[in-house]
Amino acid sequence: MEKPRKKFIDVIDKAIIAGKALDHDEKLFTYKGTFYPVAFCSLEVFRAMETFEARSDDVILAGYPKSGTNWLGQILSDLVATCEKKRPDEAKNVNDEELEEFPYLEIGDIEKYERMKKLPSRRVILTHLCPGNLPKSVFKNKAKILLLIRNPKDVATSFFHFSNKLPALPSHKTWDDFFAAFMTEKMPWGSYFNYISEWNKYATDENVMTITYEELKENRPLGVKNIASFLGISLTEEELQNVVERSSFQSMKKNSEKTHGALGSMLFRKGGVSDWKNLFNEEQNEKMDKVFEERIARTKLGSKLKYDVYCK
Ligand code: A3P
């Protein structure tokens, strides 16, 4: 991904400074019943976001925090940029720093949505929002949605470590404290279980493709190929292979200071499956297994998550 990342790094730096000035209990606020981090989101921006006009060729990458959204964001942007580069007339603005926006839809300033009107297609837009909190035009205009899901035990593990490193998020002294919070609604961007339940209602829509972190981890070349085909992007084997190589954990971690600034060392942690085994005790396993069974197991996304393979 050769696009400029200055704005990305600026937003992160500002959120780190803002987060450091806040006490633990001041770090979250609610909007429409969901908690969000004050250092990244605001009521004004949420209101301005209602004016966002989605396009039918937009690619919206939706994923609960810590599901691998930066990873899939890299793959998507790389696929789109590689495809655009093959059209010399369209490629002029691709590296224009002025056209850069922070990739997560709900993070930015109130003028962001006006500026986004000028972005050339295809726009790749990331979000941690539940479908009900996305601007209506996303569904009305049939933007393509790539839904990324990851097993809840690894999400919780990743979130615990990340929250303790990033001052913009409430930190937790112990894993037990974090686990207790994770099982409630009081998490940045809300509860994992609500998120999966809500997105489950859209999982069979023709504009929605679901992919799991674990399947991408097991076979990245196949994942990249399937995503390209969902987006109608036609690349040579060699071009696809380059996208695959540039999205390896090692390659992204190596470039992370350039692409993610101070966030890089917090974000690219282990990049694997089953690290939860180092944190969960028996009682926590039982608690999560029960909630998963009650709320998610018998849904389409529930079976996609292969809970018995990755969480038992
Ligand atoms: P871990 O904390 O388990 O290592 P998000 O981008 O949604 O915040 O998700 C972050 C998680 O995705 C982190 O998980 C991070 O290491 C992992 N990740 C980032 N890039 C990756 C890659 N190229 N391959 C595998 N995992 C990656």
Side-chain angles (χ1 to χ4, degrees):
M1 188 159 46
E2 299 302 327
K3 278 194 158 195
R5 301 278 288 185
K6 186 179 174 309
K7 190 168 267 176
F8 185 98
I9 291 167
D10 282 355
V11 169
I12 296 297
D13 288 348
K14 281 190 187 128
I16 290 175
I17 292 169
K20 280 184 180 161
L22 295 167
D23 286 338
H24 181 275
D25 291 338
E26 296 170 336
K27 291 192 178 180
L28 300 179
F29 73 103
T30 50
Y31 180 64
K32 294 188 179 172
T34 304
F35 286 89
Y36 299 98
V38 171
F40 282 116
C41 300
S42 73
L43 289 178
E44 295 72 29
V45 175
F46 275 124
R47 287 193 198 110
M49 193 180 70
E50 291 303 318
T51 64
F52 168 74
E53 254 319 287
R55 301 178 191 154
S56 58
D57 60 4
D58 280 342
V59 188
I60 312 274
L61 165 60
Y64 187 78
K66 312 321 294 167
S67 299
T69 51
N70 283 275
W71 182 19
L72 207 49
Q74 153 74 27
I75 293 174
L76 281 176
S77 306
D78 203 357
L79 282 173
V80 168
T82 309
C83 181
E84 292 300 317
K85 259 186 229 148
K86 294 166 94 158
R87 299 161 47 183
D89 52 321
E90 300 282 335
K92 293 195 285 294
N93 287 331
V94 161
N95 280 318
D96 190 339
E97 207 170 278
E98 298 208 339
L99 289 178
E100 191 207 357
E101 288 296 339
F102 194 75
Y104 291 81
L105 183 66
E106 62 273 26
I107 299 175
D109 55 88
I110 53 172
E111 273 113 42
K112 167 175 185 168
Y113 308 101
E114 204 47 44
R115 291 193 304 272
M116 283 183 80
K117 290 181 182 165
K118 299 196 190 104
L119 292 179
S121 291
R122 284 168 180 238
R123 301 180 299 185
V124 175
I125 299 162
L126 278 58
T127 182
H128 294 315
L129 295 176
C130 275
N133 294 334
L134 280 172
K136 306 272 173 295
S137 66
V138 168
F139 297 99
K140 196 175 100 233
N141 299 346
K142 295 197 165 37
K144 293 234 181 217
I145 299 175
L146 190 60
L147 175 61
L148 171 66
I149 55 176
R150 186 182 191 186
N151 82 72
K153 292 187 180 175
D154 279 332
V155 166
T157 302
S158 178
F159 218 154
F160 168 61
H161 292 291
F162 191 62
S163 307
N164 281 352
K165 285 184 212 143
L166 182 62
L169 302 178
S171 60
H172 294 269
K173 282 204 182 71
T174 64
W175 157 249
D176 290 354
D177 287 350
F178 178 86
F179 179 80
F182 188 81
M183 300 307 281
T184 70
E185 314 277 313
K186 204 171 175 190
M187 287 293 296
W189 283 276
S191 128
Y192 171 92
F193 301 101
N194 278 356
Y195 184 90
I196 300 290
S197 306
E198 286 303 307
W199 272 107
N200 201 56
K201 297 173 192 157
Y202 298 80
T204 51
D205 286 9
E206 61 169 324
N207 294 317
V208 179
M209 171 182 166
T210 308
I211 189 160
T212 67
Y213 178 96
E214 293 78 12
E215 70 179 285
L216 203 52
K217 191 77 203 163
E218 264 169 32
N219 193 341
R220 202 161 76 252
L222 182 64
V224 168
K225 223 175 220 174
N226 288 343
I227 294 166
S229 135
F230 171 66
L231 298 178
I233 286 177
S234 172
L235 299 182
T236 64
E237 282 301 321
E238 193 190 344
E239 286 165 338
L240 284 170
Q241 187 51 33
N242 288 338
V243 173
V244 170
E245 277 163 22
R246 286 190 288 259
S247 62
S248 74
F249 183 74
Q250 292 73 10
S251 156
M252 287 187 70
K253 192 178 166 79
K254 199 168 121 222
N255 285 335
S256 66
E257 208 182 315
K258 209 167 81 196
T259 56
H260 289 74
L263 196 72
S265 61
M266 308 177 197
L267 189 82
F268 298 93
R269 196 183 59 92
K270 288 202 170 169
V273 173
S274 295
D275 193 35
W276 61 269
K277 290 183 179 164
N278 292 315
L279 286 176
F280 277 67
N281 64 30
E282 208 165 307
E283 193 193 327
Q284 289 161 344
N285 272 323
E286 275 173 22
K287 235 181 213 162
M288 187 165 280
D289 294 353
K290 188 163 176 282
V291 176
F292 189 86
E293 179 60 29
E294 285 168 2
R295 299 205 49 197
I296 315 278
R298 277 171 290 276
T299 65
K300 185 168 189 281
L301 295 183
S303 59
K304 256 217 117 168
L305 279 167
K306 295 195 181 155
Y307 194 84
D308 285 347
V309 176
Y310 296 112
C311 289
K312 292 273 171 85

PDB file of all heavy atoms in Angstrom, residues 96 138 203 219 233 289 295 307:
ATOM      1  N   ASP A  96      -2.234  11.397  -4.212  1.00  0.00           N
ATOM      2  CA  ASP A  96      -2.404  12.769  -3.794  1.00  0.00           C
ATOM      3  C   ASP A  96      -2.687  12.833  -2.287  1.00  0.00           C
ATOM      4  O   ASP A  96      -3.716  12.382  -1.807  1.00  0.00           O
ATOM      5  CB  ASP A  96      -3.587  13.375  -4.582  1.00  0.00           C
ATOM      6  CG  ASP A  96      -3.659  14.872  -4.366  1.00  0.00           C
ATOM      7  OD1 ASP A  96      -3.108  15.340  -3.358  1.00  0.00           O
ATOM      8  OD2 ASP A  96      -4.261  15.545  -5.208  1.00  0.00           O
ATOM      9  N   VAL A 138     -25.464   3.369   2.740  1.00  0.00           N
ATOM     10  CA  VAL A 138     -24.599   2.193   2.515  1.00  0.00           C
ATOM     11  C   VAL A 138     -25.448   1.040   1.975  1.00  0.00           C
ATOM     12  O   VAL A 138     -25.065   0.344   1.026  1.00  0.00           O
ATOM     13  CB  VAL A 138     -23.883   1.780   3.829  1.00  0.00           C
ATOM     14  CG1 VAL A 138     -23.231   0.409   3.699  1.00  0.00           C
ATOM     15  CG2 VAL A 138     -22.857   2.837   4.229  1.00  0.00           C
ATOM     16  N   ALA A 203     -25.901 -11.216   6.649  1.00  0.00           N
ATOM     17  CA  ALA A 203     -24.852 -12.134   6.170  1.00  0.00           C
ATOM     18  C   ALA A 203     -25.191 -12.817   4.850  1.00  0.00           C
ATOM     19  O   ALA A 203     -24.286 -13.266   4.136  1.00  0.00           O
ATOM     20  CB  ALA A 203     -24.539 -13.162   7.242  1.00  0.00           C
ATOM     21  N   ASN A 219      -5.174 -19.732   4.556  1.00  0.00           N
ATOM     22  CA  ASN A 219      -4.896 -19.733   3.108  1.00  0.00           C
ATOM     23  C   ASN A 219      -5.085 -18.316   2.554  1.00  0.00           C
ATOM     24  O   ASN A 219      -6.128 -17.986   2.001  1.00  0.00           O
ATOM     25  CB  ASN A 219      -5.839 -20.723   2.413  1.00  0.00           C
ATOM     26  CG  ASN A 219      -5.404 -21.009   0.982  1.00  0.00           C
ATOM     27  OD1 ASN A 219      -4.629 -20.233   0.396  1.00  0.00           O
ATOM     28  ND2 ASN A 219      -5.884 -22.098   0.416  1.00  0.00           N
ATOM     29  N   ILE A 233     -12.535  -7.603  -9.482  1.00  0.00           N
ATOM     30  CA  ILE A 233     -11.201  -7.104  -9.823  1.00  0.00           C
ATOM     31  C   ILE A 233     -10.424  -8.231 -10.486  1.00  0.00           C
ATOM     32  O   ILE A 233     -10.259  -9.318  -9.915  1.00  0.00           O
ATOM     33  CB  ILE A 233     -10.461  -6.614  -8.548  1.00  0.00           C
ATOM     34  CG1 ILE A 233     -11.063  -5.282  -8.092  1.00  0.00           C
ATOM     35  CG2 ILE A 233      -8.962  -6.486  -8.778  1.00  0.00           C
ATOM     36  CD1 ILE A 233     -10.464  -4.729  -6.817  1.00  0.00           C
ATOM     37  N   ASP A 289     -18.124 -19.804  26.330  1.00  0.00           N
ATOM     38  CA  ASP A 289     -18.755 -20.894  25.560  1.00  0.00           C
ATOM     39  C   ASP A 289     -20.281 -20.817  25.695  1.00  0.00           C
ATOM     40  O   ASP A 289     -21.013 -21.009  24.728  1.00  0.00           O
ATOM     41  CB  ASP A 289     -18.273 -22.270  26.060  1.00  0.00           C
ATOM     42  CG  ASP A 289     -16.782 -22.497  25.801  1.00  0.00           C
ATOM     43  OD1 ASP A 289     -16.167 -21.652  25.121  1.00  0.00           O
ATOM     44  OD2 ASP A 289     -16.239 -23.505  26.298  1.00  0.00           O
ATOM     45  N   ARG A 295     -26.128 -17.186  22.023  1.00  0.00           N
ATOM     46  CA  ARG A 295     -26.403 -16.032  21.155  1.00  0.00           C
ATOM     47  C   ARG A 295     -25.953 -16.198  19.710  1.00  0.00           C
ATOM     48  O   ARG A 295     -26.499 -15.568  18.806  1.00  0.00           O
ATOM     49  CB  ARG A 295     -25.739 -14.781  21.740  1.00  0.00           C
ATOM     50  CG  ARG A 295     -26.302 -14.462  23.128  1.00  0.00           C
ATOM     51  CD  ARG A 295     -26.170 -13.025  23.473  1.00  0.00           C
ATOM     52  NE  ARG A 295     -26.632 -12.097  22.452  1.00  0.00           N
ATOM     53  CZ  ARG A 295     -26.316 -10.819  22.418  1.00  0.00           C
ATOM     54  NH1 ARG A 295     -25.541 -10.314  23.347  1.00  0.00           N
ATOM     55  NH2 ARG A 295     -26.766 -10.035  21.465  1.00  0.00           N
ATOM     56  N   TYR A 307     -16.298 -22.336  15.880  1.00  0.00           N
ATOM     57  CA  TYR A 307     -15.955 -22.169  17.296  1.00  0.00           C
ATOM     58  C   TYR A 307     -15.309 -23.429  17.881  1.00  0.00           C
ATOM     59  O   TYR A 307     -14.357 -23.348  18.653  1.00  0.00           O
ATOM     60  CB  TYR A 307     -17.246 -21.807  18.045  1.00  0.00           C
ATOM     61  CG  TYR A 307     -17.036 -21.281  19.441  1.00  0.00           C
ATOM     62  CD1 TYR A 307     -16.758 -19.942  19.668  1.00  0.00           C
ATOM     63  CD2 TYR A 307     -17.131 -22.149  20.549  1.00  0.00           C
ATOM     64  CE1 TYR A 307     -16.580 -19.447  20.960  1.00  0.00           C
ATOM     65  CE2 TYR A 307     -16.959 -21.660  21.837  1.00  0.00           C
ATOM     66  CZ  TYR A 307     -16.677 -20.308  22.034  1.00  0.00           C
ATOM     67  OH  TYR A 307     -16.508 -19.834  23.309  1.00  0.00           O
TER      68      TYR A 307
END
